[in-house]
């Protein structure tokens, strides 16, 4: 009897293995995947952070360095890769169930006593459930990638703004230094004239006050540049402000070339919300598919010993019965819960659509406002460059001739020269503002 059971058990394992291979075959489905393309900035995030150089020479170099060293964008990158791997956690079939039962009291049948039962069960979920789960993970991965793109755009805008601010501070510092030099020279001349009683005390004090104010403006610019180096140091993940010579010596040089248009539907903030909307659609499909019962297939193999009469095995007995069963899960007790899940997913879909519409409107509004402010700055720039500064220079030349011809005093001539510098300062302010709006427009267009 032991030998017979051993042979029969071997036969049962062969049958069970074949059945498991059949049930475990993957269902036909396409595995979704996000292909970000050959973006160099994505590849850069896969590398180790770049060592901090002693100085950067260009905006592109500073952006690349910030991208390599900034922890926030690296955290977002890790989150996206997490969602990518999470897509692979959805399997086509759940694991099969294998069970072995032993009859404590053998069951006598016409074929002989039944002693052991081996069972194999496999649940086959409805195809739409697997597809909905895969779609949900796929759209979550897309949202994470679009959040990474948005983080990259935000970092580029911030670095560009700080870079432009650096040139603005240096340009403004140069102009204020020139004004201080003029004011000090005038103060020295007026001090001599005051001692000879040629001018009033009031005029001398007014110039002294102007010098003090300009010197304070210069110290304010030094503080502003310190805060800028502190912000950059934080972005580059260092514990102290950047050295004074880390950024190159530059003045504001503005590029006005810009592709006019409107906010593109390819903006990552919009695409991220579009993926959220698609995710809610997948969740709704999953909730609706939950109404459909899963199919259950089972196979029972019963080991039967030969029937014995008077100590002799009866010929033809001992056949092992093989039972194939099928069933479904009846969603009787969870019907209300499934209905509530479908209803909740529909509200989530409406919410996602409303968020997408609101974000689209917000981006369009921000774009129009930034465009209007840029137009205003450009008018000011042309006004200062084409009219006000040239006219002020003409006045400066006239006052210079009058001063040489002694028909005008040094105070009037110096004020004319300072007026030119004042207009150049206003031009620098307008150029700085225009460049910031250009950075905003590039961000809003998703570039």
């Amino acid at each position: 009897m032991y030998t017979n059971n051993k042979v029969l058990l071997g036969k049962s394992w062969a049958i069970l293995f074949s059945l498991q291979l059949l049930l475990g075959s993957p269902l036909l489905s396409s595995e979704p995947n996000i292909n970000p393309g050959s973006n160099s900035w994505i590849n850069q995030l896969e590398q180790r952070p770049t060592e901090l150089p002693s100085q950067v020479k260009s905006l592109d170099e500073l952006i690349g360095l910030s991208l390599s060293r900034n922890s926030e964008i690296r955290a977002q990158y890790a989150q996206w890769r997490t969602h990518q791997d999470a897509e692979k956690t959805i399997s086509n079939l759940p694991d099969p169930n294998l069970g072995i039962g032993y009859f404590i009291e053998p069951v006598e049948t016409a074929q002989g006593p039944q002693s052991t039962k081996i069972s194999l069960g496999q649940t086959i979920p409805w195809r739409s459930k697997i597809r909905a789960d895969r779609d949900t993970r796929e759209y979550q991965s897309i949202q994470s990638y679009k959040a990474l793109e948005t983080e990259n755009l935000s970092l580029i805008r911030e670095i560009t703004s700080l870079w432009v601010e650096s040139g603005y501070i240096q340009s403004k510092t140069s102009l204020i230094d020139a004004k201080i030099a003029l004011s000090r020279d005038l103060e020295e001349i007026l001090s001599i004239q005051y001692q000879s009683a040629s001018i009033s005390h009031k005029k001398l004090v007014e110039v002294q006050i102007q010098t003090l104010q300009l010197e304070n403006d210069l110290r304010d610019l030094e503080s502003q540049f310190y805060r800028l180096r502190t912000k950059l140091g934080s972005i580059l993940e260092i514990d102290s402000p950047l050295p004074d010579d880390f950024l190159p010596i530059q003045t504001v040089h503005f590029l006005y070339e810009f592709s006019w248009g409107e906010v593109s539907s390819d903006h990552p903030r919009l695409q991220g919300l579009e993926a959220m909307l698609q995710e809610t659609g997948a969740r709704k499909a999953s909730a609706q598919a939950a109404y459909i019962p899963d199919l259950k297939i089972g196979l029972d193999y019963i080991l039967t010993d030969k029937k014995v009469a008077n100590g002799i095995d009866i010929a033809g007995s001992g056949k092992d019965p093989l039972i194939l069963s099928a069933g479904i899960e009846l969603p009787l007790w969870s019907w209300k819960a499934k209905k509530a899940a479908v209803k909740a997913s529909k509200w989530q879909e409406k919410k996602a659509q409303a968020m997408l519409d609101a974000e689209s409107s917000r981006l369009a509004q921000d774009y129009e406002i930034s465009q209007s402010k840029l137009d205003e700055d450009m008018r000011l720039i042309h006004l200062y460059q084409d009219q006000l500064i040239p006219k002020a220079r003409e006045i400066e030349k006239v006052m210079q001739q009058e001063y040489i011809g002694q028909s005008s005093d040094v105070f009037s001539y110096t004020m004319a020269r300072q007026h030119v510098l004042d207009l150049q300062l206003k031009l620098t302010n307008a150029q700085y503002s225009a460049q910031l709006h250009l950075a905003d427009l590039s961000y809003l267009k998703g570039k």
Side-chain angles (χ1 to χ4, degrees):
M1 182 182 299
Y2 173 77
T3 303
N4 291 339
N5 284 345
K6 185 175 180 180
V7 173
L8 293 175
L9 185 60
K11 292 191 297 182
S12 66
W13 277 112
I15 296 174
L16 291 175
F17 181 73
S18 301
L19 182 60
Q20 184 175 4
L21 289 178
L22 177 63
L23 294 178
S25 299
L27 298 175
L28 295 178
S29 63
S30 59
E31 182 179 343
N33 187 29
I34 298 175
N35 181 17
S38 58
N39 291 331
S40 59
W41 66 273
I42 288 289
N43 298 331
Q44 190 172 357
L45 289 173
E46 298 177 354
Q47 309 300 323
R48 296 185 61 182
T50 306
E51 292 294 331
L52 191 69
S54 59
Q55 187 184 52
V56 293
K57 298 180 180 179
S58 66
L59 174 59
D60 289 340
E61 182 183 355
L62 183 59
I63 290 176
L65 187 63
S66 303
L67 185 67
S68 171
R69 297 179 59 88
N70 187 256
S71 295
E72 291 185 8
I73 195 168
R74 285 185 167 271
Q76 187 61 51
Y77 173 76
Q79 182 178 358
W80 168 55
R81 293 305 298 267
T82 300
H83 280 97
Q84 269 198 321
D85 290 335
E87 291 185 57
K88 304 174 184 178
T89 61
I90 305 298
S91 61
N92 294 319
L93 290 174
D95 293 333
N97 296 318
L98 178 65
I100 298 178
Y102 179 76
F103 296 97
I104 297 177
E105 187 70 30
V107 178
E108 290 291 341
T109 65
Q111 290 292 321
Q114 297 178 343
S115 59
T116 306
K117 182 178 73 171
I118 301 176
S119 301
L120 179 66
Q122 175 68 61
T123 300
I124 303 179
W126 198 254
R127 176 174 168 76
S128 59
K129 295 182 179 180
I130 301 296
R131 185 186 300 113
D133 289 342
R134 285 185 180 276
D135 289 346
T136 298
R137 296 295 177 89
E138 177 189 9
Y139 292 126
Q140 287 176 346
S141 180
I142 293 175
Q143 290 177 67
S144 184
Y145 179 70
K146 294 306 173 182
L148 176 62
E149 284 189 324
T150 301
E151 187 72 26
N152 180 48
L153 288 176
S154 299
L155 182 61
I156 291 175
R157 177 173 64 173
E158 185 175 8
I159 293 299
T160 301
S161 299
L162 292 175
W163 177 270
V164 173
E165 184 181 357
S166 173
Y168 164 71
I169 292 174
Q170 295 181 45
S171 296
K172 195 172 180 179
T173 298
S174 177
L175 292 171
I176 291 181
D177 279 336
K179 288 197 65 177
I180 290 176
L182 288 175
S183 184
R184 286 175 176 169
D185 290 343
L186 179 60
E187 182 180 342
E188 184 177 349
I189 294 174
L190 293 181
S191 178
I192 297 173
Q193 292 180 351
Y194 174 70
Q195 293 175 4
S196 62
S198 300
I199 61 167
S200 65
H201 182 261
K202 176 183 177 183
K203 182 173 289 187
L204 174 61
V205 172
E206 286 177 350
V207 175
Q208 291 174 339
I209 292 174
Q210 176 183 264
T211 303
L212 292 173
Q213 289 175 336
L214 289 172
E215 290 173 346
N216 183 70
D217 292 341
L218 195 60
R219 287 192 292 270
D220 289 344
L221 287 174
E222 292 173 355
S223 299
Q224 186 177 347
F225 191 62
Y226 174 81
R227 292 192 294 270
L228 182 148
R229 291 186 289 110
T230 302
K231 291 178 183 178
L232 272 179
S234 176
I235 294 174
L236 297 177
E237 306 287 342
I238 62 175
D239 298 331
S240 60
L242 291 171
D244 292 339
D245 58 349
F246 182 78
L247 296 173
I249 299 176
Q250 58 175 331
T251 55
V252 282
H253 296 289
F254 296 96
L255 301 177
Y256 302 125
E257 292 82 1
F258 184 72
S259 56
W260 310 105
E262 58 185 11
V263 177
S264 172
S265 59
D266 294 335
H267 195 286
R269 281 165 57 178
L270 295 179
Q271 289 186 331
L273 288 173
E274 181 67 33
M276 179 187 292
L277 180 60
Q278 298 294 335
E279 180 197 349
T280 58
R283 289 185 181 277
K284 183 175 70 173
S286 178
Q288 292 171 339
Y291 284 110
I292 304 174
D294 293 335
L295 176 64
K296 289 182 175 294
I297 297 177
L299 185 67
D300 293 332
Y301 184 72
I302 301 177
L303 300 179
T304 304
D305 297 332
K306 286 185 175 294
K307 194 170 185 177
V308 180
N310 298 324
I312 301 174
D313 294 344
I314 299 177
S317 65
K319 293 183 179 180
D320 299 333
L322 187 63
I323 303 173
L324 181 63
S325 61
I328 59 173
E329 290 182 348
L330 297 178
L332 297 178
W333 317 125
S334 60
W335 188 266
K336 290 184 178 179
K338 296 180 187 300
K339 184 178 180 180
V342 172
K343 194 173 182 179
S345 64
K346 289 181 178 179
W347 283 113
Q348 287 291 330
E349 190 175 30
K350 291 181 178 180
K351 175 187 175 182
Q353 182 64 59
M355 292 176 63
L356 177 60
D357 295 340
E359 186 69 8
S360 178
S361 177
R362 185 181 301 111
L363 284 175
Q365 172 186 289
D366 292 344
Y367 187 89
E368 292 299 327
I369 291 176
S370 294
Q371 183 67 72
S372 176
K373 290 181 177 179
L374 176 61
D375 293 340
E376 182 179 331
D377 290 334
M378 293 301 294
R379 287 195 300 270
L380 277 176
I381 290 171
H382 290 304
L383 177 63
Y384 287 120
Q385 286 181 334
D386 302 337
Q387 299 184 47
L388 298 183
I389 293 179
K391 291 183 181 298
R393 291 190 186 280
E394 291 179 8
I395 296 175
E396 179 186 355
K397 291 180 180 179
V398 171
M399 296 303 297
Q400 182 183 23
Q401 295 299 324
E402 292 182 355
Y403 174 67
I404 295 174
Q406 297 184 351
S407 60
S408 178
D409 57 10
V410 66
F411 181 84
S412 300
Y413 174 47
T414 303
M415 290 299 104
R417 296 175 67 186
Q418 288 198 349
H419 183 58
V420 174
L421 294 175
D422 288 335
L423 292 177
Q424 289 178 335
L425 280 171
K426 292 181 179 179
L427 172 62
T428 301
N429 291 336
Q431 289 174 326
Y432 172 58
S433 178
Q435 191 70 4
L436 292 182
H437 293 316
L438 282 173
D440 289 340
L441 289 170
S442 294
Y443 168 83
L444 292 170
K445 292 197 70 174
K447 293 187 176 181

